[in-house]
Amino acid sequence: MSVQIGNIDLGEFPLLLAPMEDVSDPPFRYVCKQNGADMMYTEFISSEGLIRDAAKSRQKLDIFEYERPIGIQIFGSSIETMSEATQIATKANPDLIDINYGCPVKNVACRGAGASLLQDIDKMVAMTKAVVEATHLPVTVKTRLGWDDNTKNVYTVAERLQEVGIKALTIHGRTRSQMYKGEADWNLISEVKKNPNIEIPIFGNGDIDSPEKAASWKREFAVDGMMIGRASIGNPWIFREIKYYLKTGNLLPKPTIEERVEVCKIHLQKSIAWKGPKTGIFEMRRHYANYFKGIENFKETRMKLVALEDIEEIYDVLEGIKTIHAEVMA
């Protein structure tokens, strides 16, 4: 049975790319979409930044037709500014608006935004209602199990947010106090899904890093789909690998060095096209180690890549990775 968010048909068991700050920008989203991501989100965008017309916040509104369906994710601590930001984001013409109630980092949560709202459910509900009323688009939410081990309140949160009109909920299986440490607990996510009062899709997030785990947890926790974050960094192939395994029970071969180089180059090209040569090359530097994880003696090559500023020289080094690997394998 297809999963629906409003009038968006996501297919039988959708795989979502998580919104990740400084990662899930249009260049990265491109390579994930090419490898099977069913729905994606922008990096999270500050509602205050949108209202102040901050350049960085505005740039994050950039979406492209090939990315659809795509959601714009916003966060903030003020109900009024979240409502205003929703109206601005709606004009960018995404397929949905997503609210971030899950970000645990200090400069978000300690300013009353992101996961901080898990400490004030009444305000969270009022904010969500204001966002739903500010747009004609479907509104979804991403959150966590609770603020800490003593306040795992997502079961109640799910019911109350559904009442004010959200169309789907993604739950990260950690509390805010856990940050990204320890193991994600999907048992409570499963309880929310099994709640007879819940009619909206429930997506699980946290620690999905292999096709086998995705298949096992799909059976065990019965969620409607999965959101993948950190495991996709440098590994956009994870979406196609999971889909293939769910369909056939077999593992796809891992991407070859040649494919890793080619996808890295596409990512770089898209980064330059979107941000300009200087910023595009600079911001791509954080991705090289992830694309070529596991290659022996890669450190020296990485040091070259992060030092170069000429695109043709970077391409030459990337092409050289194929040659070096071929010699090692010979």
Side-chain angles (χ1 to χ4, degrees), residues 37-56:
D38 293 300
M39 188 163 78
M40 307 185 293
Y41 300 81
T42 61
E43 299 169 81
F44 69 5
I45 306 175
S46 161
S47 57
E48 296 282 351
L50 280 184
I51 290 165
R52 292 196 314 270
D53 207 22
K56 189 174 181 185

Side-chain angles (χ1 to χ4, degrees), residues 292-309:
F292 302 108
K293 194 179 290 180
I295 293 181
E296 286 184 30
N297 305 317
F298 182 68
K299 185 177 179 183
E300 186 182 334
T301 306
R302 187 181 72 83
M303 296 306 289
K304 279 186 197 170
L305 286 169
V306 300
L308 291 172
E309 296 180 2

